[in-house]
Every structure is written in C-alpha cells, then in structure tokens.
Amino acid sequence: MFWTPLHAYTLIPQFVVYIALAFVLSRALMNKDYETQLLPLKICTILLLVLEVAKQAVGIATGYSTYWIPLHFCSLFLYFHPIACFYKGKHRDTFILIAGVVSACLFLFMTVYPNIIYSDDAIRSMWAFVTGKGGSFFELHTVLFHGIGLFTFFLFVFQGLGRFDTKKDVLRIMITYGAYCLIVGPLAQLIDTNFNNFVQSNAPFLEDIRGKLLESLGAFLGQTVYVLIISVGTILVPLIAYFVLKGLTRLLGQRKREAADR
C-alpha cells in the first residue's frame, strides 16, 4: 500500500498544520532581511542535526548498525540544509536551491508513497516509545526527522527562498544526485547496507523487477542493472521535485527577490 490508514491519520493533520504555519511565518517575516527570513529554516536544520547526533549516540551506545550511517536519500538534509543556512559565499543560491529540492523530494514521497519512507509499524513503535510502552528511539527519530524535513518544504514554497534558473538548475541537480549515486550505490553493495534501496527495494514492484533481473542475468549483472535503474530514478525524482518546487513557489510564495537581497 502506498498509504495506510495510520499514515492518513497522522500525515493529513501534519500537512494542514505545516501549511498554515509556513504561511503565517512567511507573512510575518516578509519584510525582514534575508538572514531573519531564514530563521525558521535554520531552526529546523538545527533540530535535524540534533536528532541525528542523538541517533548516532544511541546507536554507538546500544550496538551500531551500518544502516545508521547517514547516507540514505533523506540524509542529504544533513549536508545541504546546513550549508544553505549558514554558508554565505557566492554559491549560496545553488545550495539554497539544492536544499529546496531535497525538501521537495521528501514532499513528493510523503504525498505519493509515504509507506516507503516509514511504515505504520514505525509510527506505532514511535508512539510506544513516547508513551513509555516499549518501542524504539530509532523509529521516533525516523518519524520526527521526516516530519521536520517535510515542514521545510513548505517554508521554501511560502517564503520563496529559492531563486530559479532552470537550465543551470537542472544541470546542478543532475550532477548532485549523479554524484550521490556514484558514491553510495557501490558503497551500499560493498557493505551490504540498503542505502536508498540500492541493495534491495522496499517497494514490492521494484523488488519484483530486481528478482527477475537476478534470475535472468545472474547475480552480478542483474544487481548492476538494478542499481542503474535505481540511480536513474534517484536523478529523475529530484528533477520532478524541482519543477514542483518552482511551480508552487511561483504560485504561493512571496514576491521574487533580487540578487541584492542575498
């Protein structure tokens, strides 16, 4: 299932709250300088980093798994959002744009296929942990991390944080995510850790394709073709997300800022 009833019960209210809060913040900060306008995104970024540090600390204390290495698709929040928020050099607009695309990718998945981001079992485990009835801190991290990441998308949209240059942006996105695939795809095989579904897919229809490839082409070639398929998708999704971000920003966001506002 792309959505489960538990996803609907928990995510739809989140969407409503996030949209309302991002709208209010965008209007409250509209006439402030750019650094002040970035404060909500900075706070979210710091929260994501704190959550990740806590996860790594708990992992080290309880027995570390390579699955907790921050190389997953959504781990890109941990790299691009801090740079976007705190780097002030001449390439800042590029990092703001890539961070916006990272957020937009999560928005797409949480809208279309939230069950591939985290399962309803993860939601139950998170709630059990919060209420002291067992559960797992790692599931709490998963749900909170993606919830905060999802909110940042609405900040990008309603605040109009990004500046768009489609030809350059498409190239930047392809290079960024192409590099991610080149690094993480082979590494996932080497340490047998399912970053970004590079080893096997959490989506049943894709896992079925992988099984058929292994059967028809053999283990090595079949898995190689599968990784290439995932890589193509890993580049295509951000490109789609970019146009969603651009379209919604122009439809709902604040007036376009000039470069001097940076």
Side-chain angles (χ1 to χ4, degrees), residues 2 10 17 47 53 61 108 117 123 128 130 154 167 185 191 200 217:
F2 282 30
T10 56
V17 171
L47 289 174
V53 170
L108 286 184
I117 299 297
I123 300 172
V130 170
F154 295 106
K167 290 183 179 179
I191 64 175
Q200 60 189 40
L217 300 176

Side-chain angles (χ1 to χ4, degrees), residues 13-108:
Q14 283 186 63
F15 273 85
V16 173
V17 171
Y18 291 164
I19 290 170
L21 183 57
F23 175 81
V24 170
L25 286 171
S26 70
R27 270 46 193 175
L29 299 175
M30 179 182 292
N31 297 317
K32 304 295 184 181
D33 63 273
Y34 191 65
E35 292 304 318
T36 302
Q37 291 179 15
L38 279 178
L39 273 176
L41 184 64
K42 289 179 178 180
I43 292 170
C44 289
T45 298
I46 291 170
L47 289 174
L48 292 174
L49 291 171
V50 169
L51 277 171
E52 186 63 25
V53 170
K55 184 187 81 172
Q56 297 299 326
V58 172
I60 291 170
T62 60
Y64 200 80
S65 166
T66 55
Y67 191 74
W68 300 330
I69 297 172
L71 290 174
H72 297 276
F73 190 79
C74 287
S75 297
L76 294 176
F77 276 97
L78 301 171
Y79 306 109
F80 287 105
H81 283 63
I83 297 173
C85 287
F86 301 108
Y87 166 76
K88 297 181 181 180
K90 65 178 181 178
H91 300 296
R92 187 180 205 182
D93 282 338
T94 296
F95 289 112
I96 288 281
L97 184 279
I98 296 297
V101 170
V102 171
S103 297
C105 287
L106 179 57
F107 167 75
L108 286 184

Side-chain angles (χ1 to χ4, degrees), residues 1-4 7 11 15 72-74 76-77 101-118 146 150 153 177 180 196-197 201-203 205-206 230 232-241 244:
M1 295 177 65
F2 282 30
W3 280 72
T4 68
H7 282 102
L11 280 178
F15 273 85
H72 297 276
F73 190 79
C74 287
L76 294 176
F77 276 97
V101 170
V102 171
S103 297
C105 287
L106 179 57
F107 167 75
L108 286 184
F109 280 116
M110 295 295 269
T111 302
V112 177
Y113 198 171
N115 202 27
I116 203 172
I117 299 297
Y118 55 76
H146 290 96
L150 176 62
F153 169 74
Y177 283 90
Y180 171 79
N196 191 46
N197 287 332
S201 181
N202 295 330
F205 67 94
L206 283 175
I230 295 299
V232 170
T234 300
I235 295 171
L236 285 178
V237 169
L239 290 173
I240 296 169
V244 171

Side-chain angles (χ1 to χ4, degrees), residues 80 172-186 235:
F80 287 105
R172 290 164 180 162
I173 292 166
M174 292 180 69
I175 290 173
T176 299
Y177 283 90
Y180 171 79
C181 292
L182 284 173
I183 295 169
V184 179
I235 295 171

Side-chain angles (χ1 to χ4, degrees), residues 25-26 29 37 40 154-161 254 257:
L25 286 171
S26 70
L29 299 175
Q37 291 179 15
F154 295 106
L155 292 176
F156 277 103
V157 168
F158 283 102
Q159 290 192 271
L161 296 176
Q254 296 171 198
R257 297 185 183 88

